[in-house]
Amino acid sequence: LLADLLPRALWHSRMRLRQVPDLVKARWREHWTRERFTLVALGIGCFYVTYACYRNLKSFLPFVLGEKKYDTELHALDKIIFLGNDPSAVLHTIFGFSWFEQSISTIYLWYLPLVPVLVAVWTIWSRNISFGYWFVTSQVIAWTLGTASYYMLPALGPGFEYSWLYADIGDTGAAQLLKSLFYSRTNVLWGGSDGLQSTAAFASLHTAVTLLWALMVQYTVR
């Protein structure tokens, strides 16, 4: 409510504070209808229930499936797609390191805060109420399918299974995230920690959800 009402009122009043209360009241009447409140409550609530279930089910993976992994098969498929070459070697050869790895790491890490932010954006600001429902429903389906894929094709990912391929990557945010995932997994499995282990490679929800955002922008934003 604050993110919607206050900045908008200040903008339209051109910082004339006396006009702010009237603008807030007008926005409240025209935008914050019963349908909008229902969308925000249901949309954000259902998304977070789904996301909490996703995190818990992902954390239980090693205890349910043990050491069963498909990293070898998935890595072989990667090399087939890249005509017999290792994807990491090809990408590092094309793009190099230093500035590129820092920039691509930054983009990669934007994903983490954007997940909840964009759910709020489409539920609060979509002019068409149905677009908000469409966005949240598609998010819930994506996270559910991603969780199912972790159990159908469990894998740690090349960063863990073939770590020597990435030994020359510099000190980026993505590299630090990889280390934190490794230590959190180790602590959960062998250190007696009651935290969450968040390591699962396939399917990539970074890819799936980012593609979903792009499609939603294409089809719902003028």
Side-chain angles (χ1 to χ4, degrees):
L1 283 170
L2 185 63
D4 177 58
L5 295 175
L6 188 58
R8 188 178 183 279
L10 291 171
W11 174 263
H12 284 283
S13 68
R14 297 182 180 178
M15 301 303 289
R16 298 185 182 96
L17 298 183
R18 291 182 179 179
Q19 298 178 14
V20 167
D22 290 336
L23 289 168
V24 167
K25 291 175 184 177
R27 177 67 171 175
W28 178 269
R29 286 193 302 269
E30 71 183 28
H31 187 76
W32 288 97
T33 60
R34 178 181 296 179
E35 289 80 9
R36 179 69 59 180
F37 272 113
T38 303
L39 167 61
V40 171
L42 274 178
I44 294 179
C46 289
F47 170 76
Y48 274 102
V49 168
T50 303
Y51 186 76
C53 293
Y54 155 83
R55 288 298 304 270
N56 284 317
L57 288 167
K58 189 177 182 182
S59 190
F60 287 132
L61 265 171
F63 302 104
V64 175
L65 299 175
E67 293 300 314
K68 184 178 180 181
K69 299 193 298 290
Y70 288 93
D71 283 283
T72 303
E73 292 83 354
L74 290 170
H75 192 64
L77 179 60
D78 275 345
K79 294 185 75 171
I80 290 172
I81 293 172
F82 279 74
L83 304 177
N85 299 291
D86 191 274
S88 63
V90 173
L91 294 174
H92 294 165
T93 301
I94 294 173
F95 296 111
F97 294 95
S98 63
W99 69 267
F100 178 79
E101 66 182 16
Q102 291 290 346
S103 61
I104 205 72
S105 169
T106 302
I107 295 170
Y108 178 83
L109 294 174
W110 283 350
Y111 168 85
L112 301 172
L114 280 177
V115 168
V117 167
L118 291 184
V119 170
V121 166
W122 255 272
T123 55
I124 293 171
W125 286 295
S126 57
R127 294 181 181 179
N128 188 328
I129 290 285
S130 65
F131 289 168
Y133 283 110
W134 189 14
F135 183 85
V136 176
T137 302
S138 59
Q139 286 271 7
V140 167
I141 291 172
W143 290 91
T144 303
L145 291 176
T147 307
S149 74
Y150 294 155
Y151 278 84
M152 290 188 290
L153 284 171
L156 295 181
F160 293 97
E161 199 71 8
Y162 304 99
S163 57
W164 62 87
L165 295 173
Y166 304 90
D168 52 357
I169 291 180
D171 186 23
T172 65
Q176 293 169 10
L177 176 61
L178 190 67
K179 291 178 183 177
S180 70
L181 290 172
F182 172 80
Y183 287 119
S184 64
R185 175 182 170 83
T186 302
N187 290 336
V188 168
L189 294 182
W190 297 290
S193 169
D194 58 356
L196 295 171
Q197 79 84 28
S198 299
T199 303
F202 187 89
S204 168
L205 279 167
H206 279 75
T207 303
V209 174
T210 304
L211 173 61
L212 174 61
W213 294 340
L215 291 172
M216 290 302 299
V217 169
Q218 180 180 348
Y219 286 107
T220 69
V221 178
R222 293 179 182 176

